[in-house]
Amino acid sequence: MRKTNLVPALLAFTTLFPKTVFAIQRFPKPEFESAYTQPQTQIPLPRGEFMAYLDVAVLLIALSVVTWLVLKKRSRLWVFAMSIFSLGYFGFYREGCVCSIGAIQNVSLALFDSTFVLPLSVILFFILPLLFTLFFGRTFCAAVCPFGAIQDLFAFKPQALGSRLNTVLGIIPYLYLGLAVLFAATGTDFIICRYDPFVGIFRFTASFGMFLFTGILLLSGIFIARPYCRFLCPYGVLLNWTSRFSRSHLTITPKECIQCRLCENSCPYDAIDIPVTTKSPESSPVMVKKMMMMVLIVPVLVIAFGYAGSRMQDTLAGVDPRVKLAKEVLSGMRDAGSGMRDAGYKMQDAGYKMQDAGYKMRDAGYKMRDAGYKMRDESFEIKAFKASGKTESQVYSEASAVLKKFYIGGWLFGGFIGLAIALMIGGRMLPVYRADYVTNKGRCFSCARCVDYCPVKS
Amino acid sequence: MKQKIFIISGLVLLIAVVVIMFADLFSSKQADQANPYDYKMGEIRKSDSTRSAYSEQMIISPPLAEMHALACGAGDRIFVAGKDTLLIYDQPGHSAGRFLFNGTASCMTLDKKGNIYIGMQDHVEIFDPSGKLIKKWKTFSDESLITGIAVSDSGVFLADFGKKIVYRCSPDGRLINRIGEKDPQKNIPGFIIPSPYFDLALGKKGELWVANTGRHSLEQFSNDGTLNSAWGEANMAVEGFCGCCNPSHFALLSDGSFVTSEKGIERVKIYSPRGKFECVVAPPTAFIEGTRGLDLAVDSKDRIIVLDPEKKQLRIFVKK
């Protein structure tokens, strides 16, 4: 009884706890000689240190509880209950922030920018799920991550995709991870947060576009269970790698597999590997050939993709606001140059033809109108740049430094993708032998659905 | 077959999500530059026609390059002045006179004898009905800008935007007392006039009303400067006054009701003698956007005369 009361009690506590306790005055108030009472301008303070560590504590407890539920209690029902709690706490109460997925960016930026202060709570949010995964598999994905929890609610008609489709679509998270790290490390953007599909729902602030984006993703989740976790989540890449080394991973059966095949179609995430009982030991020359191919493929793909990445320097850097601004300034200068040239032609014409004053006045009027249009069409960025007092050369030199970073970053990003593809190819080339139905340690979210299908109970 | 349809549907949606994300990330298209904090007046400018109780009866187009000052005299003659020129129109709107002076009129009023008092930026000039200069007062201050004037047996009242004060003077220009100076002990908040529209008018019994535009109110003072009452509400709705400072001008009807004009949201409205909103005389759509300085006058038949400096017209409104 006491145990069953724990979840609602925790939910009630976290929901009722006040979000902001204090507020600070952002700007000094202007002085008006009137009876008007200025409302206090308030901005929420950063989450208090205690509350940040409370979040960490909740994360740690949730991970421990879920791990226990998965590995010891082996209860899908309780895992589901915990996922609802996590959705409530980390999703709707904490509004999806800080999250382990987004923490990738904070860690990346801190590694490349010494001025960026990385709070300990963020480090813990990044490391704790990885540590648990290293020992116990992806119990974080099972019922602690609110993203997984919300998608789980929509998996009504999950379909098996097959290993090829899973492999091909599995490249996307690597691309997303590579780009997220690249853009965070260069100080360009936190794209995981920018394209976070659920935060708008958690905060009830989604714009129509974002609501549509989330809606499409959740709709796809009706047929492809947990689409974000499987084919987008950049943190999932790290968890996938780590989970492969986990020692105490969830097993479908607590004892010996009786080959009843009841669990075969129980996993909505295609994370159960069926037995490959036919041993097909390949001859030594074939194995040597495959190994040699692997030895060749890895560096070739890494270098080829790395080169391609470096050639994408401009495209990648184009996302950076400093480069965008430089491009806009340059384009404005070109327009001005063309304008001056045209003005020169006009003056020359005026000299030749001695047009009368009326025409000149009209032209001046047109020029003023055009200048007005230009002023009107200027972007906020250009207006802000003009107001900042920065020189154009400063803008160009900043953009040039960013471009250099993206040249190196492009190599690393491309190389990373090349390596991921090479390892996937290599993985498919290796001979496989499995006697029983087992969970795929990399892909399995430890949701414990399969456990319910297994007739063997401890 | 059904399974294939499910898979394809799921895949199409998933790929759509990925494509949207990457397309948006690498798109060079400018983000929406609409300013979410833009002060959009469109909705506020819309007017409810059911609240309009006046119609435009007549338009007079004086041949003046500038029009700043408006007054109504005996026989409901309309006086309008701008730079160097004063024009007079009779009740049907025909030209009834014209005289010249030196300077730019900023406000105008008439006394019982028909003498014309013109606020000339920093001083006052008084003309007899034939246009002959009777008196030219001294300048009050280098900073003075006289924007409102009214005359009664108690004296000549001047609203000085530059000094944010009302002067009560004798007809010869001698200062009798100042009205409206901030005095917390007498509960006088002082005038807050952010823009150069500072109007005053006299009621039927000669009581002085002054527009304290920054407080969005009209305040009533005794001749000695005692603040007797005030009304006004800062409100974006039609019932109140909004923006930095309104009403820019006002006048009183024979029953003691107020006619007010505003800038920002250009409109003319009627308030009861107790300051309760009654109806709209002219909605924002009746004016060119950005019109300022809608001076007002009321004749003996309670026709409302509006000086429209943008359209360069005198517009006369009557009750429907």
Side-chain angles (χ1 to χ4, degrees):
Chain A
M1 187 63 189
R2 197 180 298 162
K3 282 177 191 170
T4 49
N5 287 337
L6 180 68
V7 174
L10 270 172
L11 265 172
F13 165 75
T14 50
T15 313
L16 294 172
F17 212 88
K19 272 192 246 182
T20 46
V21 182
F22 306 107
I24 55 170
Q25 192 67 39
R26 199 172 179 187
F27 303 112
K29 287 183 287 187
E31 290 295 330
F32 288 114
E33 284 187 358
S34 78
Y36 177 69
T37 311
Q38 285 281 346
Q40 264 212 332
T41 308
Q42 296 190 338
I43 53 166
L45 277 177
R47 198 158 166 83
E49 205 174 354
F50 165 74
M51 294 302 285
Y53 288 115
L54 176 70
D55 291 342
V56 174
V58 174
L59 175 70
L60 188 62
I61 293 167
L63 281 168
S64 307
V65 170
V66 172
T67 303
W68 179 75
L69 290 172
V70 168
L71 299 183
K72 294 292 176 192
K73 196 161 175 65
R74 295 172 63 79
S75 165
R76 169 62 197 157
L77 188 66
W78 275 99
V79 170
F80 179 72
M82 272 306 290
S83 75
I84 297 297
F85 164 76
S86 299
L87 182 62
Y89 185 85
F90 296 110
F92 289 101
Y93 171 64
R94 290 296 299 116
E95 299 180 338
C97 196
V98 56
C99 77
S100 303
I101 305 168
I104 294 171
Q105 303 162 122
N106 302 70
V107 172
S108 306
L109 181 57
L111 287 173
F112 289 91
D113 182 355
S114 57
T115 60
F116 182 73
V117 179
L118 187 62
L120 183 61
S121 56
V122 176
I123 298 175
L124 290 172
F125 258 83
F126 178 71
I127 284 178
L128 281 176
L130 288 172
L131 274 177
F132 267 77
T133 306
L134 184 63
F135 289 101
F136 310 113
R138 299 171 70 168
T139 52
F140 171 75
C141 302
V144 183
C145 178
F147 287 22
I150 196 169
Q151 290 174 90
D152 249 357
L153 299 175
F154 284 81
F156 298 123
K157 287 266 177 199
Q159 305 296 318
L161 294 182
S163 73
R164 278 187 194 167
L165 211 47
N166 269 303
T167 307
V168 172
L169 293 173
I171 294 289
I172 302 169
Y174 285 87
L175 280 169
Y176 198 9
L177 174 66
L179 289 173
V181 171
L182 176 66
F183 289 132
T186 50
T188 299
D189 201 351
F190 277 17
I191 60 167
I192 297 174
C193 300
R194 184 164 151 188
Y195 297 108
D196 184 332
F198 304 113
V199 76
I201 305 287
F202 294 152
R203 296 176 187 180
F204 303 108
T205 56
S207 62
F208 176 73
M210 191 44 102
F211 189 77
L212 198 66
F213 180 73
T214 311
I216 295 172
L217 188 69
L218 289 175
L219 269 180
S220 76
I222 293 173
F223 308 115
I224 301 172
R226 288 202 184 197
Y228 185 86
C229 304
R230 289 161 75 193
F231 305 121
L232 275 167
C233 181
Y235 195 58
V237 173
L238 305 182
L239 294 171
N240 183 318
W241 291 342
T242 321
S243 185
R244 286 165 197 251
F245 300 101
S246 58
R247 291 190 60 189
S248 309
H249 196 282
L250 170 78
T251 54
I252 299 170
T253 178
K255 290 181 180 172
E256 275 189 22
C257 177
I258 57 170
Q259 303 282 332
C260 65
R261 301 183 62 183
L262 286 172
C263 67
E264 200 173 68
N265 297 316
S266 66
C267 182
Y269 315 120
D270 298 334
I272 290 177
D273 289 334
I274 58 170
V276 183
T277 47
T278 316
K279 285 189 180 178
S280 53
E282 284 167 335
S283 59
S284 294
V286 173
M287 283 301 290
V288 169
K289 203 176 164 184
K290 280 187 173 178
M291 285 304 291
M292 282 184 68
M293 269 186 73
M294 274 301 294
V295 169
L296 268 175
I297 278 175
V298 171
V300 165
L301 284 182
V302 168
I303 292 169
F305 275 83
Y307 177 71
S310 71
R311 299 291 294 171
M312 287 171 67
Q313 176 195 17
D314 280 347
T315 310
L316 293 170
V319 177
D320 191 285
R322 292 158 290 188
V323 177
K324 271 185 183 168
L325 175 64
K327 279 182 181 172
E328 270 198 67
V329 172
L330 191 64
S331 134
M333 289 284 286
R334 280 189 193 137
D335 289 349
S338 306
M340 285 182 72
R341 187 198 58 194
D342 293 345
Y345 285 141
K346 276 185 183 171
M347 283 183 72
Q348 187 192 43
D349 290 347
Y352 285 142
K353 295 175 186 173
M354 292 295 284
Q355 284 175 325
D356 63 34
Y359 283 131
K360 280 182 185 173
M361 287 284 280
R362 188 196 61 184
D363 289 348
Y366 283 147
K367 275 186 187 173
M368 282 186 70
R369 187 197 59 186
D370 292 346
Y373 284 146
K374 275 191 179 173
M375 290 277 284
R376 190 193 60 188
D377 295 341
E378 270 182 355
S379 67
F380 288 148
E381 288 80 3
I382 289 285
K383 283 176 190 164
F385 155 68
K386 285 183 175 171
S388 71
K390 264 189 186 175
T391 61
E392 280 159 15
S393 61
Q394 276 176 306
V395 172
Y396 295 144
S397 64
E398 271 182 22
S400 165
V402 173
L403 274 168
K404 275 181 194 164
K405 282 184 191 173
F406 271 94
Y407 178 71
I408 300 164
W411 266 104
L412 293 173
F413 166 67
F416 170 72
I417 300 299
L419 181 66
I421 292 171
L423 291 177
M424 278 181 188
I425 295 169
R428 294 185 73 84
M429 283 165 71
L430 290 174
V432 180
Y433 173 74
R434 272 187 302 270
D436 298 325
Y437 285 88
V438 291
T439 52
N440 181 304
K441 280 188 173 182
R443 291 205 300 267
C444 173
F445 295 135
S446 297
C447 68
R449 273 189 180 84
C450 55
V451 170
D452 283 352
Y453 286 79
C454 183
V456 182
K457 303 294 175 190
S458 55
Chain B
M1 185 61 189
K2 204 174 169 186
Q3 190 188 5
K4 269 190 179 174
I5 292 170
F6 286 155
I7 293 175
I8 291 168
S9 310
L11 281 176
V12 167
L13 292 169
L14 177 64
I15 290 164
V17 166
V18 176
V19 169
I20 290 168
M21 268 177 60
F22 282 82
D24 182 71
L25 181 62
F26 292 107
S27 163
S28 57
K29 205 183 86 183
Q30 281 282 351
D32 183 13
Q33 294 274 324
N35 184 356
Y37 305 106
D38 210 4
Y39 193 38
K40 289 174 184 158
M41 304 287 283
E43 283 302 310
I44 304 166
R45 290 177 64 82
K46 285 180 187 166
S47 175
D48 180 359
S49 58
T50 59
R51 310 191 86 167
S52 178
Y54 278 74
S55 61
E56 195 164 358
Q57 184 199 44
M58 190 198 298
I59 293 173
I60 301 169
S61 298
L64 290 175
E66 292 178 26
M67 298 195 301
H68 301 294
L70 173 72
C72 208
D76 289 340
R77 292 197 306 169
I78 302 165
F79 294 71
V80 58
K83 190 172 184 296
D84 302 333
T85 309
L86 183 144
L87 299 177
I88 305 163
Y89 293 90
D90 60 16
Q91 196 185 354
H94 301 130
S95 178
R98 175 180 190 267
F99 67 80
L100 301 177
F101 53 86
N102 287 321
T104 302
S106 50
C107 53
M108 178 167 54
T109 192
L110 287 93
D111 65 12
K112 284 177 183 170
K113 295 175 191 165
N115 292 326
I116 305 157
Y117 290 66
I118 302 180
M120 294 280 194
Q121 308 285 318
D122 60 349
H123 69 279
V124 173
E125 292 181 14
I126 305 167
F127 299 85
D128 70 9
S130 66
K132 187 184 165 198
L133 182 66
I134 304 169
K135 181 85 181 169
K136 183 177 178 179
W137 293 5
K138 284 181 188 168
T139 301
F140 287 94
S141 153
D142 292 342
E143 296 168 12
S144 287
L145 176 59
I146 309 298
T147 53
I149 188 166
V151 61
S152 73
D153 296 339
S154 309
V156 182
F157 297 89
L158 305 170
D160 183 349
F161 161 74
K163 290 288 186 186
K164 272 82 173 167
I165 197 75
V166 170
Y167 303 117
R168 179 174 159 232
C169 304
S170 64
D172 59 0
R174 186 175 50 83
L175 179 67
I176 302 170
N177 62 315
R178 293 164 187 269
I179 297 172
E181 271 177 319
K182 188 176 178 178
D183 188 344
Q185 286 186 334
K186 291 182 181 171
N187 286 328
I188 298 174
F191 295 120
I192 299 155
I193 316 291
S195 64
Y197 300 96
F198 183 24
D199 202 7
L200 54 75
L202 296 172
K204 218 173 179 181
K205 293 174 185 167
E207 72 277 17
L208 173 68
W209 285 93
V210 186
N212 198 345
T213 60
R215 293 172 62 84
H216 299 108
S217 66
L218 294 183
E219 294 173 355
Q220 197 262 304
F221 294 89
S222 301
N223 290 340
D224 63 357
T226 306
L227 176 61
N228 297 320
S229 69
W231 65 267
E233 183 192 353
N235 193 335
M236 297 296 278
V238 70
E239 290 82 2
F241 301 117
C242 66
C244 73
C245 34
N246 268 313
S248 63
H249 295 83
F250 72 99
L252 282 106
L253 293 166
S254 58
D255 65 352
S257 299
F258 297 85
V259 188
T260 63
S261 73
E262 293 164 65
K263 58 190 170 52
I265 303 172
E266 308 81 9
R267 58 191 176 189
V268 180
K269 301 181 295 191
I270 303 275
Y271 287 86
S272 74
R274 298 177 70 86
K276 186 173 174 288
F277 169 75
E278 300 226 308
C279 64
V280 172
V281 174
T285 47
F287 301 99
I288 296 169
E289 200 172 333
T291 299
R292 292 169 172 223
L294 294 168
D295 201 358
L296 299 168
V298 174
D299 69 11
S300 64
K301 294 183 183 67
D302 275 349
R303 295 192 311 167
I304 297 166
I305 303 134
V306 181
L307 183 155
D308 187 335
E310 281 297 315
K311 291 186 174 175
K312 301 199 188 322
Q313 291 172 344
L314 298 176
R315 304 170 66 176
I316 299 164
F317 294 85
V318 293
K319 210 162 192 176
K320 283 178 186 171

